[in-house]
Short mmCIF file of all heavy atoms in Angstrom, two decimals:
data_model
loop_
_atom_site.label_atom_id
_atom_site.label_comp_id
_atom_site.label_asym_id
_atom_site.label_seq_id
_atom_site.Cartn_x
_atom_site.Cartn_y
_atom_site.Cartn_z
N ILE A 37 140.70 -47.67 147.83
CA ILE A 37 140.57 -46.58 146.86
C ILE A 37 140.62 -47.14 145.44
O ILE A 37 139.89 -46.69 144.56
CB ILE A 37 141.64 -45.50 147.10
CG1 ILE A 37 141.36 -44.82 148.44
CG2 ILE A 37 141.65 -44.47 145.97
CD1 ILE A 37 142.42 -43.85 148.89
N LEU A 38 141.44 -48.15 145.23
CA LEU A 38 141.50 -48.82 143.92
C LEU A 38 140.13 -49.43 143.58
O LEU A 38 139.64 -49.28 142.46
CB LEU A 38 142.57 -49.90 143.96
CG LEU A 38 143.24 -50.32 142.67
CD1 LEU A 38 143.84 -49.13 141.95
CD2 LEU A 38 144.30 -51.35 142.96
N GLU A 39 139.52 -50.08 144.55
CA GLU A 39 138.19 -50.68 144.35
C GLU A 39 137.15 -49.59 144.04
O GLU A 39 136.33 -49.75 143.15
CB GLU A 39 137.79 -51.47 145.60
CG GLU A 39 136.47 -52.20 145.47
CD GLU A 39 136.49 -53.31 144.43
OE1 GLU A 39 137.55 -53.92 144.20
OE2 GLU A 39 135.42 -53.56 143.84
N TYR A 40 137.18 -48.49 144.80
CA TYR A 40 136.24 -47.39 144.58
C TYR A 40 136.41 -46.79 143.18
O TYR A 40 135.42 -46.41 142.54
CB TYR A 40 136.46 -46.29 145.62
CG TYR A 40 135.65 -45.05 145.36
CD1 TYR A 40 134.29 -45.01 145.63
CD2 TYR A 40 136.25 -43.93 144.81
CE1 TYR A 40 133.54 -43.88 145.36
CE2 TYR A 40 135.51 -42.79 144.53
CZ TYR A 40 134.16 -42.77 144.81
OH TYR A 40 133.42 -41.64 144.53
N SER A 41 137.63 -46.76 142.68
CA SER A 41 137.90 -46.09 141.40
C SER A 41 137.46 -46.92 140.19
O SER A 41 137.38 -46.38 139.09
CB SER A 41 139.39 -45.77 141.28
OG SER A 41 140.15 -46.94 141.09
N LYS A 42 137.18 -48.20 140.39
CA LYS A 42 136.77 -49.05 139.26
C LYS A 42 135.54 -48.46 138.58
O LYS A 42 134.56 -48.15 139.23
CB LYS A 42 136.50 -50.47 139.71
CG LYS A 42 137.76 -51.23 140.05
CD LYS A 42 137.45 -52.65 140.45
CE LYS A 42 138.76 -53.38 140.79
NZ LYS A 42 138.49 -54.70 141.34
N GLY A 43 135.63 -48.32 137.26
CA GLY A 43 134.51 -47.79 136.49
C GLY A 43 134.44 -46.26 136.49
O GLY A 43 133.54 -45.69 135.89
N LYS A 44 135.37 -45.62 137.17
CA LYS A 44 135.41 -44.15 137.19
C LYS A 44 136.66 -43.72 136.43
O LYS A 44 137.75 -43.72 136.97
CB LYS A 44 135.42 -43.63 138.63
CG LYS A 44 134.15 -43.97 139.39
CD LYS A 44 134.29 -43.57 140.85
CE LYS A 44 133.03 -43.85 141.62
NZ LYS A 44 132.75 -45.28 141.79
N ASP A 45 136.47 -43.36 135.17
CA ASP A 45 137.62 -43.06 134.32
C ASP A 45 138.31 -41.74 134.66
O ASP A 45 139.31 -41.40 134.06
CB ASP A 45 137.22 -43.08 132.85
CG ASP A 45 136.16 -42.04 132.50
OD1 ASP A 45 135.63 -41.38 133.41
OD2 ASP A 45 135.87 -41.90 131.31
N TYR A 46 137.81 -41.04 135.65
CA TYR A 46 138.41 -39.77 136.05
C TYR A 46 139.29 -39.92 137.30
O TYR A 46 139.86 -38.95 137.78
CB TYR A 46 137.33 -38.71 136.29
CG TYR A 46 136.31 -39.08 137.33
CD1 TYR A 46 136.49 -38.74 138.67
CD2 TYR A 46 135.16 -39.79 136.99
CE1 TYR A 46 135.56 -39.10 139.63
CE2 TYR A 46 134.22 -40.14 137.94
CZ TYR A 46 134.44 -39.79 139.25
OH TYR A 46 133.50 -40.14 140.21
N ILE A 47 139.40 -41.15 137.82
CA ILE A 47 140.23 -41.39 138.99
C ILE A 47 141.38 -42.32 138.60
O ILE A 47 141.15 -43.42 138.09
CB ILE A 47 139.44 -42.02 140.16
CG1 ILE A 47 138.31 -41.09 140.61
CG2 ILE A 47 140.37 -42.31 141.34
CD1 ILE A 47 137.41 -41.68 141.69
N TYR A 48 142.59 -41.86 138.84
CA TYR A 48 143.80 -42.65 138.58
C TYR A 48 144.47 -42.93 139.92
O TYR A 48 144.81 -42.00 140.65
CB TYR A 48 144.78 -41.87 137.69
CG TYR A 48 144.18 -41.46 136.37
CD1 TYR A 48 143.54 -40.23 136.24
CD2 TYR A 48 144.27 -42.30 135.27
CE1 TYR A 48 142.99 -39.85 135.02
CE2 TYR A 48 143.72 -41.92 134.04
CZ TYR A 48 143.08 -40.69 133.93
OH TYR A 48 142.55 -40.32 132.74
N VAL A 49 144.63 -44.19 140.25
CA VAL A 49 145.29 -44.58 141.49
C VAL A 49 146.65 -45.14 141.13
O VAL A 49 146.75 -46.09 140.34
CB VAL A 49 144.45 -45.63 142.28
CG1 VAL A 49 145.14 -45.98 143.59
CG2 VAL A 49 143.04 -45.11 142.53
N LEU A 50 147.70 -44.54 141.67
CA LEU A 50 149.05 -44.95 141.32
C LEU A 50 149.38 -46.33 141.87
O LEU A 50 149.05 -46.65 143.00
CB LEU A 50 150.07 -43.94 141.85
CG LEU A 50 149.94 -42.52 141.33
CD1 LEU A 50 151.10 -41.68 141.85
CD2 LEU A 50 149.88 -42.47 139.83
N ASN A 51 150.03 -47.12 141.06
CA ASN A 51 150.55 -48.42 141.45
C ASN A 51 152.06 -48.40 141.31
O ASN A 51 152.64 -47.40 140.88
CB ASN A 51 149.95 -49.52 140.56
CG ASN A 51 148.49 -49.75 140.88
OD1 ASN A 51 148.13 -49.96 142.03
ND2 ASN A 51 147.65 -49.71 139.86
N HIS A 52 152.70 -49.51 141.64
CA HIS A 52 154.14 -49.64 141.45
C HIS A 52 154.46 -49.39 139.98
O HIS A 52 153.70 -49.84 139.14
CB HIS A 52 154.57 -51.05 141.88
CG HIS A 52 156.02 -51.29 141.74
ND1 HIS A 52 156.93 -50.78 142.64
CD2 HIS A 52 156.74 -51.93 140.80
CE1 HIS A 52 158.14 -51.13 142.26
NE2 HIS A 52 158.04 -51.83 141.15
N PRO A 53 155.44 -48.68 139.59
CA PRO A 53 156.57 -48.15 140.35
C PRO A 53 156.37 -46.70 140.80
O PRO A 53 157.32 -46.08 141.28
CB PRO A 53 157.71 -48.22 139.33
CG PRO A 53 157.04 -47.87 138.04
CD PRO A 53 155.66 -48.52 138.14
N TYR A 54 155.18 -46.16 140.68
CA TYR A 54 154.95 -44.75 141.01
C TYR A 54 154.72 -44.50 142.50
O TYR A 54 154.82 -43.36 142.94
CB TYR A 54 153.75 -44.21 140.22
CG TYR A 54 153.97 -44.25 138.72
CD1 TYR A 54 153.40 -45.26 137.95
CD2 TYR A 54 154.75 -43.30 138.08
CE1 TYR A 54 153.60 -45.29 136.58
CE2 TYR A 54 154.96 -43.33 136.72
CZ TYR A 54 154.37 -44.33 135.97
OH TYR A 54 154.57 -44.37 134.62
N ARG A 55 154.39 -45.53 143.24
CA ARG A 55 154.17 -45.35 144.69
C ARG A 55 155.50 -45.29 145.42
O ARG A 55 156.41 -46.05 145.11
CB ARG A 55 153.32 -46.49 145.25
CG ARG A 55 151.87 -46.40 144.84
CD ARG A 55 151.08 -47.56 145.37
NE ARG A 55 150.96 -47.47 146.83
CZ ARG A 55 150.63 -48.50 147.59
NH1 ARG A 55 150.38 -49.67 147.06
NH2 ARG A 55 150.53 -48.35 148.89
N VAL A 56 155.59 -44.37 146.37
CA VAL A 56 156.81 -44.25 147.18
C VAL A 56 156.44 -44.25 148.65
O VAL A 56 155.33 -43.89 149.03
CB VAL A 56 157.60 -42.96 146.83
CG1 VAL A 56 158.12 -42.99 145.42
CG2 VAL A 56 156.76 -41.72 147.05
N ARG A 57 157.40 -44.64 149.48
CA ARG A 57 157.23 -44.57 150.94
C ARG A 57 157.49 -43.13 151.35
O ARG A 57 158.58 -42.62 151.13
CB ARG A 57 158.21 -45.51 151.63
CG ARG A 57 157.93 -46.97 151.33
CD ARG A 57 159.01 -47.87 151.91
NE ARG A 57 159.04 -47.75 153.36
CZ ARG A 57 158.51 -48.65 154.20
NH1 ARG A 57 157.91 -49.71 153.71
NH2 ARG A 57 158.58 -48.47 155.49
N VAL A 58 156.50 -42.50 151.92
CA VAL A 58 156.59 -41.08 152.25
C VAL A 58 156.93 -40.88 153.72
O VAL A 58 156.30 -41.47 154.60
CB VAL A 58 155.27 -40.35 151.90
CG1 VAL A 58 155.33 -38.90 152.34
CG2 VAL A 58 154.98 -40.46 150.41
N ASN A 59 157.92 -40.04 153.97
CA ASN A 59 158.26 -39.60 155.32
C ASN A 59 157.86 -38.14 155.41
O ASN A 59 158.36 -37.31 154.64
CB ASN A 59 159.76 -39.76 155.60
CG ASN A 59 160.18 -41.20 155.51
OD1 ASN A 59 159.55 -42.06 156.10
ND2 ASN A 59 161.23 -41.48 154.77
N TRP A 60 156.99 -37.82 156.35
CA TRP A 60 156.46 -36.47 156.47
C TRP A 60 157.60 -35.47 156.61
O TRP A 60 158.50 -35.64 157.42
CB TRP A 60 155.50 -36.36 157.65
CG TRP A 60 154.69 -35.11 157.56
CD1 TRP A 60 153.48 -34.97 156.95
CD2 TRP A 60 155.04 -33.82 158.06
NE1 TRP A 60 153.05 -33.68 157.04
CE2 TRP A 60 153.99 -32.94 157.72
CE3 TRP A 60 156.13 -33.31 158.75
CZ2 TRP A 60 154.00 -31.61 158.05
CZ3 TRP A 60 156.14 -31.98 159.08
CH2 TRP A 60 155.08 -31.14 158.73
N GLY A 61 157.54 -34.42 155.79
CA GLY A 61 158.52 -33.35 155.86
C GLY A 61 159.81 -33.65 155.11
O GLY A 61 160.70 -32.82 155.05
N GLY A 62 159.90 -34.82 154.52
CA GLY A 62 161.12 -35.21 153.80
C GLY A 62 160.96 -35.05 152.30
O GLY A 62 159.89 -34.73 151.78
N PHE A 63 162.05 -35.29 151.58
CA PHE A 63 162.02 -35.19 150.13
C PHE A 63 161.04 -36.18 149.52
O PHE A 63 160.53 -35.96 148.41
CB PHE A 63 163.42 -35.42 149.53
CG PHE A 63 163.40 -35.42 148.03
CD1 PHE A 63 163.28 -34.23 147.33
CD2 PHE A 63 163.45 -36.60 147.32
CE1 PHE A 63 163.22 -34.22 145.95
CE2 PHE A 63 163.38 -36.61 145.93
CZ PHE A 63 163.27 -35.40 145.24
N THR A 64 160.74 -37.25 150.22
CA THR A 64 159.81 -38.24 149.67
C THR A 64 158.44 -37.64 149.39
O THR A 64 157.72 -38.13 148.53
CB THR A 64 159.68 -39.46 150.60
OG1 THR A 64 159.33 -39.00 151.91
CG2 THR A 64 160.97 -40.26 150.64
N MET A 65 158.08 -36.56 150.10
CA MET A 65 156.80 -35.88 149.80
C MET A 65 156.88 -35.23 148.43
O MET A 65 155.92 -35.29 147.65
CB MET A 65 156.48 -34.84 150.88
CG MET A 65 156.16 -35.46 152.23
SD MET A 65 155.78 -34.24 153.49
CE MET A 65 154.13 -33.79 153.00
N VAL A 66 158.01 -34.63 148.11
CA VAL A 66 158.22 -34.04 146.78
C VAL A 66 158.27 -35.15 145.74
O VAL A 66 157.66 -35.04 144.67
CB VAL A 66 159.52 -33.20 146.75
CG1 VAL A 66 159.82 -32.70 145.36
CG2 VAL A 66 159.44 -32.05 147.75
N ASN A 67 158.96 -36.24 146.07
CA ASN A 67 159.06 -37.36 145.14
C ASN A 67 157.68 -37.93 144.81
O ASN A 67 157.41 -38.28 143.66
CB ASN A 67 159.97 -38.44 145.71
CG ASN A 67 160.30 -39.51 144.70
OD1 ASN A 67 160.17 -39.30 143.50
ND2 ASN A 67 160.73 -40.65 145.18
N ALA A 68 156.80 -38.04 145.80
CA ALA A 68 155.44 -38.54 145.54
C ALA A 68 154.72 -37.64 144.54
O ALA A 68 154.04 -38.11 143.62
CB ALA A 68 154.65 -38.64 146.84
#
Side-chain angles (χ1 to χ4, degrees):
I37 293 173
L38 206 55
E39 183 66 30
Y40 173 76
S41 71
K42 287 182 180 172
K44 296 174 178 68
D45 61 353
Y46 58 91
I47 299 176
Y48 302 91
V49 182
L50 300 185
N51 288 308
H52 180 77
Y54 298 101
R55 287 178 68 198
V56 295
R57 294 174 62 101
V58 176
N59 298 311
W60 195 91
F63 176 75
T64 54
M65 292 180 76
V66 175
N67 190 20

